Amino acid sequence: MDTFKSGLSIDGGGMRGIVPCVILKHIEEVTGKPTHELFDIVAGTSTGGLLALLLGIKLSAKEVLDLYKNNGTLIFKKRILGFLLGRLFGPKYSSEGIKKISQKAFGSAMINSVAMPVMAISYCTDQGMPKVWKSWSDSVSCVDVVLATSAAPTYFPAHKIGAHGYIDGGICANSPSACLASEMLRLYGNDIKLLSLGCGERVTKMTAKCCKEWGYIGWGKHIIDVMMGGSSQIEDYMCTVGLGQHYVRIQKQLPSTMSGELDCIKKEDIRRLEAFGEHLWEENKDKILKHILE
């Protein structure tokens, strides 16, 4: 399949982005090649969008992994008001931390200057529709795209670009795999293959009795997980049906011992996320390498 164009899709998941970083680090070590040389195009949502852009400016997966491990407390820095009032009257975190990290990584670079084709998914609030940022057709700063794709409702404030507001694309396509597959078919034709990396699945199971009685408060703490998980699963279904053997999805439910929150930044959380990434690699490395190298 050496004539096939190869795509990489990375889910959203906050600090759980450590998981695909670990897998990509191993892929780079085994193949001896950086990610931007192994794939023809990469797409990401939320933390996956940040990952896609960092890989697109030729950072190694290890460098990206270190960035996550060393900057969690800066990314998820609580607002004073958010700390006092929770998420009832505003986002829990300021976007200043992730903005600072993005400015250090990208400077003034525009999305159309990255080294490989990159896509990132957001949702445009005033137009009421998804926005797919594309390096080959958009001219906006990488920092703006990061802030737009990662503005998870209740966690971070919406981000304004020009006249429009944007929030985390995870509300519509937490896994951008079907979006990427559609774009690859348009760009490259039918000879495509796709590797989709999840961040560990946080399954929220609710009894029918509970759901029947819930209102704003009951649904409030569950709705983000439900939307993210559900959208990822339907994208997986579409790619499985549409691409068959040319599609590989790496995802697994997180152990019950792990919090799995988007903002799990404690040292023990990070250690467990790395260990989970190692587990996924060991469990799937033969399948992954066969997909990439054949």
Side-chain angles (χ1 to χ4, degrees):
M1 292 193 296
D2 56 353
T3 60
F4 275 55
K5 293 292 186 178
S6 182
L8 171 66
S9 170
I10 310 173
D11 284 20
M15 284 300 291
R16 301 202 312 266
I18 285 172
V19 174
C21 279
V22 170
I23 294 171
L24 289 168
K25 178 177 76 74
H26 280 295
I27 292 172
E28 291 186 347
E29 288 171 351
V30 172
T31 63
K33 292 183 178 180
T35 300
H36 71 269
E37 290 183 8
L38 290 168
F39 298 93
D40 296 291
I41 185 171
V42 58
T45 298
S46 193
T47 197
L50 172 58
L51 269 168
L53 285 164
L54 290 170
L55 295 168
I57 60 168
K58 299 186 179 183
L59 264 65
S60 70
K62 184 183 183 306
E63 289 173 317
V64 179
L65 176 60
D66 289 342
L67 184 149
Y68 269 73
K69 289 165 60 177
N70 296 331
N71 291 283
T73 54
L74 178 58
I75 294 171
F76 293 100
K77 187 174 183 180
K78 288 184 177 178
R79 299 162 58 246
I80 294 176
L81 185 62
F83 177 73
L84 294 174
L85 301 177
R87 284 173 272 180
L88 290 176
F89 302 103
K92 187 176 181 181
Y93 302 105
S94 162
S95 59
E96 284 306 306
I98 193 167
K99 183 178 180 180
K100 227 175 247 187
I101 291 166
S102 298
Q103 287 174 331
K104 184 176 180 180
F106 301 109
S108 59
M110 307 294 278
I111 189 175
N112 55 6
S113 69
V114 296
M116 67 183 301
V118 171
M119 295 166 54
I121 316 297
S122 296
Y123 185 85
C124 183
T125 55
D126 45 300
Q127 292 184 324
M129 61 187 296
K131 167 62 181 176
V132 181
W133 302 99
K134 304 172 187 176
S135 61
W136 58 94
S137 61
D138 284 306
S139 181
V140 63
S141 75
C142 290
V143 173
D144 275 326
V145 174
V146 169
L147 294 173
T149 189
S150 62
T154 76
Y155 284 90
F156 293 109
H159 184 62
K160 187 176 181 182
I161 301 176
H164 302 302
Y166 297 94
I167 58 174
D168 194 316
I171 68 163
C172 54
N174 193 57
S175 166
S177 52
C179 300
L180 176 56
S182 299
E183 199 64 45
M184 290 181 72
L185 288 168
R186 188 183 70 81
L187 292 172
Y188 307 128
N190 293 329
D191 290 345
I192 64 170
K193 57 182 181 177
L194 177 58
L195 174 65
S196 176
L197 299 180
C199 296
E201 194 167 31
R202 192 164 180 249
V203 177
T204 303
K205 296 180 180 178
M206 302 151 288
T207 66
K209 183 179 179 181
C210 288
C211 297
K212 184 178 178 181
E213 303 298 329
W214 280 350
Y216 282 118
I217 294 177
W219 277 107
K221 66 178 183 178
H222 298 293
I223 197 64
I224 295 291
D225 286 337
V226 171
M227 288 191 300
M228 289 173 63
S231 70
S232 294
Q233 288 159 6
I234 199 67
E235 295 255 338
D236 179 40
Y237 170 79
M238 289 188 285
C239 286
T240 299
V241 172
L243 297 179
Q245 65 177 343
H246 303 309
Y247 168 70
V248 170
R249 171 75 169 161
I250 306 300
Q251 178 68 308
K252 191 173 185 179
Q253 185 174 338
L254 292 166
S256 58
T257 54
M258 295 176 65
S259 84
E261 295 282 354
L262 299 181
D263 54 354
C264 51
I265 56 175
K266 294 178 181 177
K267 287 183 179 179
E268 180 61 18
D269 291 328
I270 291 172
R271 187 194 67 76
R272 287 178 175 175
L273 286 170
E274 279 194 273
F276 185 72
E278 295 287 349
H279 167 71
L280 278 186
W281 166 251
E282 288 299 324
E283 192 173 71
N284 296 283
K285 61 183 178 183
D286 292 340
K287 178 167 63 173
I288 293 170
L289 292 172
K290 181 180 179 182
H291 173 84
I292 292 172
L293 299 175
E294 286 191 356

